[in-house]
Amino acid sequence: MKKTLLTFLIAGAAGLGLSLSAVSCNNSSECIEVVIPRPAAIEKCAGTFQIPTPLAVSFDTPQEVAASLEAYLKTTSLPATETAPDAALRFVIASEEGLPASEEGYELSVLPEGAVIKARGEAGLFYGLQTLLQLRSRFGDRIPAQRIVDAPRFEYRGMHLDESRHFFGKEFVKKQLRMMASLKLNRLHWHLTDGAGWRIQIDRYPELTEIAAWRPVEPWLEWLDAGRPYCRREDPNAYGGFYTKEEIREVVAYADSLHITVIPEIEMPGHSEEVLAVYPELSCAGKPHVYDDLCIGNDKTFEFLENVLTEVMELFPSEYIHIGGDEATKKGWATCAKCHARMQREGLKDLDELQSYAVHRVEEFLNAHGRKLLGWDEILQGGLAPNAAVMSWHGMSGGREAAASGHPVVMTPGSYCYLDKYQGNPSTEPKALEGSLPLPKVYMCEPAPEDMTGRENVLGVQANLWTEYVPTAEHAEYMLYPRMFALAEVAWTAPERKDYDDFHRRALLRIETARAEGYNTFDQAASERAERPEALKQVKHLALGCPVSCGAEWYESYAADGAGSLTDGWFGPWNYGYRWLGFLNKDFEATIDLGAVKAIREVKADFLQWHSALIGLPKSVEIAVSEDGEHFTVLGEEQNDLPFDDPKLQCRAFGWEGSAQARYVRCRAAFHGNAGGWIFIDEIVVN
């Protein structure tokens, strides 16, 4: 191993307060890392560990920990195990110096004479075992000798699954829990209720699972267009399903055995059409199919919510209960006599404060039962409940606000963490939510930036799979993996240890393993082989690395690497979620400083068109130059002749060719004029 690389590994360990001595590696081929998420520190040693069959194991742990690990070992790919004092695999709970302080941290020593996993707690032993299992999946029964000291960056490392729009069943959920455990993810956010279907048995309200869990139209979009009808469970066209209480208990217990906490989401006060369809007295209209929101002025609403949450808490022992709180339309509240009476009695000045009242009231109920409230960032509207935690999805602004005021935060910004978006070439992908989120962009997520006030209040990060356009279990896995691999590394690995190129290599290996285990992953390698050729190699030109100033601000979700993206030498891929700068409903202007007056012969700006995403080529592009940065001469203007409604996904360069002298090069692109539309640009090439 090169000395510089070893120093880097040790520095990564030091960042987490870990210790690791330096040992050189004689065989560089053995120094290839394969584990996801990337461990904090790795020391390569001489030789290999030959896993024997049967595999003798020993436990220097409390009896209940030994029993749990022994039961789990029987479900793994390791050879049959037997307990023996002189074991080849040892589990040790210890408190010695040098072990990570975190209960989830571990030390794994794989030496020719055997493997030892040490940790301060059971979770650490479990995660050390996950690392050993990943090593075996890549190296087989001859694992290169090494020592790993590791601990997570964040305590909350989450995956969200929406089963309201489409129901997948307990075996699918348990399968994803197994993948989560292998990636050291520890929170499943289970979205069980929403307008498209109620998925959890509530004894006190049987109509929720007799009617609200079923619809006569399977595709979500067609169901919307049909007026959002529901049907009875016995209807021959009924589509949907729900989890019985026994199934919920089974899933929760299984997750617990994998050190995963299941957090249920019971959506309120919005996204409640399915509730109002069967209990219309909880609507401001007093009848179904009028409003989406529960009536906050009606005491029966809170009686319903408290009864439901009481049964939910009996099933889920999680510290947090997610109450949704997002996208309430508030339409019914505006004209509802009961809501206005509530506002007058409580001294509430607007509908935002009425929503805040509802969240506060539900939080008081949860707190009284020893639980905490978690909600989407809309719960900030009208004032945040005193003990609430915020899940920030509208970018990171809501999370920043909540963290600065001392509230716990889980970051899940849509531009980095919403896995319902396209991940490859949109023209060849299955239907997805409009938007783009390729693997590299997920990996770029930074949940707690250094400039963030209250960053110590960030509990962690989560990726979300919404299933409006994901009707099958196979499609769900296709959307989850490998992007969940990237999120796992964001959540576990210290920022200074992250390296996308290295992660990408490990992700391709992990995809092979996942497919062998029966997971239907996105074909990352094939997608990259079919990538836009121009995006595969950096281009050299006169403006490479030169500073750029933009005349208008780009859209936050499509920020690439800022203005510097326009002169970094990299063209954007087919997927517009990475490397492209996006501008919504506005003209584009950028000025490049070449640093000195130079002879130029060409200026070309690269733009994208994808009609279904409302991305269009500019109406025209003007190129102008200046020697002083104040007085510009227009060199040329190129008009676009491609109609906005042309369905073909394509890129085109617009600009000028000729001969000129310039220090400053200005590019202006006129917006195509279609409301709600975008201009996307990736590179301005100057030669």
Side-chain angles (χ1 to χ4, degrees):
M1 178 181 289
K2 293 183 179 178
K3 184 177 180 181
T4 53
L5 177 56
L6 183 59
T7 301
F8 176 66
L9 295 177
I10 295 171
L16 286 173
L18 310 181
S19 64
L20 188 60
S21 58
V23 177
S24 63
C25 178
N26 296 322
N27 184 347
S28 61
S29 67
E30 292 182 352
C31 295
I32 298 174
E33 295 184 49
V34 298
V35 176
I36 295 175
R38 194 180 195 187
I42 303 176
E43 170 191 337
K44 298 297 180 177
C45 305
T48 59
F49 169 48
Q50 174 70 52
I51 300 178
T53 302
L55 174 61
V57 299
S58 68
F59 302 93
D60 187 2
T61 70
Q63 180 56 41
E64 63 272 17
V65 174
S68 176
L69 287 168
E70 195 170 7
Y72 178 73
L73 281 168
K74 294 176 180 177
T75 71
T76 72
S77 61
L78 287 171
T81 60
E82 58 184 25
T83 303
D86 188 20
L89 174 58
R90 296 170 51 216
F91 294 89
V92 180
I93 285 187
S95 56
E96 63 195 49
E97 186 177 349
L99 281 178
S102 167
E103 289 283 313
E104 295 182 306
Y106 64 91
E107 175 189 289
L108 168 63
S109 298
V110 182
L111 301 173
E113 59 269 25
V116 180
I117 302 174
K118 290 184 180 181
R120 297 182 186 273
E122 182 182 352
L125 295 179
F126 182 80
Y127 289 134
L129 178 56
Q130 296 308 314
T131 296
L132 181 63
L133 289 169
Q134 283 202 44
L135 292 173
R136 183 176 186 268
S137 71
R138 182 48 46 189
F139 296 113
D141 287 340
R142 292 182 59 84
I143 301 176
Q146 56 197 285
R147 179 168 168 250
I148 295 174
V149 183
D150 198 11
R153 181 185 181 194
F154 292 112
E155 65 177 271
Y156 187 115
R157 306 179 299 278
M159 186 181 93
H160 159 284
L161 177 64
D162 165 25
E163 284 203 81
S164 171
R165 276 78 180 194
H166 294 283
F167 179 74
F168 303 124
K170 70 174 184 179
E171 293 307 320
F172 171 82
V173 177
K174 290 166 73 174
K175 184 181 178 185
Q176 309 323 309
L177 288 168
R178 291 192 290 274
M179 177 64 82
M180 289 178 64
S182 77
L183 297 169
K184 304 182 177 74
L185 297 166
N186 65 353
R187 299 289 191 278
L188 174 66
H189 173 180
W190 207 359
H191 189 82
L192 291 167
T193 76
D194 210 309
W198 183 281
R199 305 298 180 206
I200 177 173
Q201 178 185 351
I202 301 295
D203 293 336
R204 186 147 181 171
Y205 300 101
E207 296 295 83
L208 291 172
T209 45
E210 288 299 312
I211 298 175
W214 308 93
R215 60 185 193 248
V217 181
E218 179 176 340
W220 175 79
L221 197 56
E222 292 180 20
W223 172 75
L224 289 183
D225 292 341
R228 308 182 186 187
Y230 304 91
C231 64
R232 297 202 70 87
R233 181 179 183 178
E234 60 271 17
D235 189 304
N237 295 317
Y239 171 81
F242 66 92
Y243 290 100
T244 66
K245 288 191 171 183
E246 282 308 306
E247 289 173 323
I248 293 283
R249 292 187 183 99
E250 181 181 339
V251 169
V252 169
Y254 187 70
D256 184 66
S257 74
L258 301 174
H259 294 271
I260 296 171
T261 299
V262 182
I263 298 175
E265 180 179 352
I266 306 300
E267 184 71 63
M268 63 184 82
H271 289 285
S272 297
E273 306 98 299
E274 85 287 19
V275 174
L276 302 179
V278 294
Y279 299 108
E281 65 272 19
L282 304 181
S283 168
C284 291
K287 55 185 178 180
H289 308 300
V290 178
Y291 298 122
D292 300 345
D293 308 330
L294 297 166
C295 177
I296 306 305
N298 190 345
D299 284 334
K300 287 186 177 181
T301 292
F302 295 97
E303 178 185 339
F304 169 83
L305 292 175
E306 290 177 5
N307 289 335
V308 167
L309 290 173
T310 295
E311 294 192 36
V312 167
M313 288 187 287
E314 291 170 355
L315 296 170
F316 295 91
S318 56
E319 176 186 17
Y320 286 102
I321 303 294
H322 203 300
I323 60 92
D326 61 309
E327 298 181 325
T329 67
K330 306 173 185 174
K331 291 179 181 178
W333 305 349
T335 57
C336 175
K338 290 180 180 178
C339 287
H340 280 273
R342 173 85 70 193
M343 292 173 66
Q344 188 173 20
R345 286 196 306 272
E346 301 293 337
L348 309 174
K349 70 175 185 293
D350 57 27
L351 298 182
D352 284 346
E353 289 196 359
L354 183 63
Q355 174 169 296
S356 180
Y357 164 84
V359 174
H360 277 68
R361 185 162 168 176
V362 171
E363 184 191 58
E364 289 177 2
F365 177 77
L366 292 174
N367 292 168
H369 288 77
R371 306 302 183 92
K372 296 179 181 178
L373 182 146
L374 178 60
W376 303 109
D377 52 41
E378 284 95 332
I379 68 173
L380 288 159
Q381 297 171 6
L384 187 56
N387 302 310
V390 171
M391 192 167 274
S392 185
W393 72 280
H394 284 99
M396 294 178 62
S397 57
R400 283 178 174 268
E401 179 184 341
S405 63
H407 286 264
V409 169
V410 177
M411 288 295 190
T412 178
S415 54
Y416 294 98
C417 296
Y418 269 44
L419 306 187
D420 49 348
K421 300 179 182 180
Y422 289 97
Q423 55 190 317
N425 183 339
S427 67
T428 61
E429 287 289 286
K431 175 66 176 174
L433 186 75
E434 298 298 355
S436 172
L437 183 58
L439 186 66
K441 190 166 184 181
V442 179
Y443 197 77
M444 289 165 56
C445 181
E446 174 43 60
E450 289 188 4
D451 67 346
M452 178 180 173
T453 302
R455 66 195 295 257
E456 68 277 4
N457 294 316
V458 177
L459 299 177
V461 62
Q462 175 177 288
N464 298 339
L465 179 61
W466 301 98
T467 60
E468 286 91 338
Y469 299 106
V470 183
T472 67
E474 293 76 17
H475 193 179
E477 290 181 347
Y478 178 91
M479 302 300 278
L480 286 169
Y481 312 115
R483 290 184 290 187
M484 281 307 306
F485 303 169
L487 189 280
E489 193 145 310
V490 169
W492 181 277
T493 305
E496 62 269 17
R497 287 283 287 137
K498 288 175 60 185
D499 179 314
Y500 180 74
D501 290 338
D502 184 77
F503 164 76
H504 176 263
R505 174 187 58 78
R506 287 178 284 120
L508 293 182
L509 296 175
R510 189 69 182 89
I511 287 170
E512 291 179 11
T513 304
R515 290 188 163 190
E517 293 170 345
Y519 291 87
N520 182 47
T521 75
F522 173 71
D523 193 338
Q524 187 73 29
S527 174
E528 290 165 357
R529 286 194 296 271
E531 186 53 88
R532 182 187 176 203
E534 294 87 347
L536 299 178
K537 186 177 180 180
Q538 188 180 36
V539 62
K540 309 294 184 182
H541 58 93
L542 288 178
L544 184 66
C546 290
V548 184
S549 60
C550 287
E553 188 67 20
W554 49 84
Y555 196 78
E556 178 186 7
S557 296
Y558 302 108
D561 289 324
S565 304
L566 301 176
T567 57
D568 64 2
W570 288 101
F571 286 99
W574 291 123
N575 193 313
Y576 62 83
Y578 180 55
R579 292 184 185 161
W580 291 93
L581 270 180
F583 296 83
L584 177 63
N585 284 327
K586 63 178 67 173
D587 297 338
F588 163 80
E589 178 180 313
T591 302
I592 302 170
D593 181 359
L594 299 177
V597 175
K598 298 180 180 180
I600 63 172
R601 55 182 175 80
E602 177 187 56
V603 180
K604 294 288 185 181
D606 202 48
F607 295 89
L608 175 72
Q609 171 135 329
W610 183 28
H611 176 255
S612 65
L614 299 180
I615 301 170
L617 298 175
K619 186 182 299 183
S620 62
V621 175
E622 176 195 274
I623 304 298
V625 296
S626 170
E627 294 188 3
D628 60 9
E630 295 183 7
H631 303 89
F632 282 83
T633 300
V634 175
L635 297 180
E637 183 177 17
E638 185 172 355
Q639 303 293 320
N640 172 42
D641 60 1
L642 184 71
F644 177 72
D645 60 1
D646 188 300
K648 185 180 179 181
L649 174 66
Q650 55 191 297
C651 301
R652 284 195 181 184
F654 293 80
W656 159 90
E657 294 181 8
S659 179
Q661 297 282 321
R663 171 174 175 173
Y664 299 93
V665 177
R666 187 181 70 200
C667 173
R668 285 178 173 170
F671 178 56
H672 47 69
N674 296 277
W678 300 81
I679 288 179
F680 274 76
I681 181 170
D682 64 348
E683 187 75 6
I684 302 175
V685 176
V686 181
N687 286 310

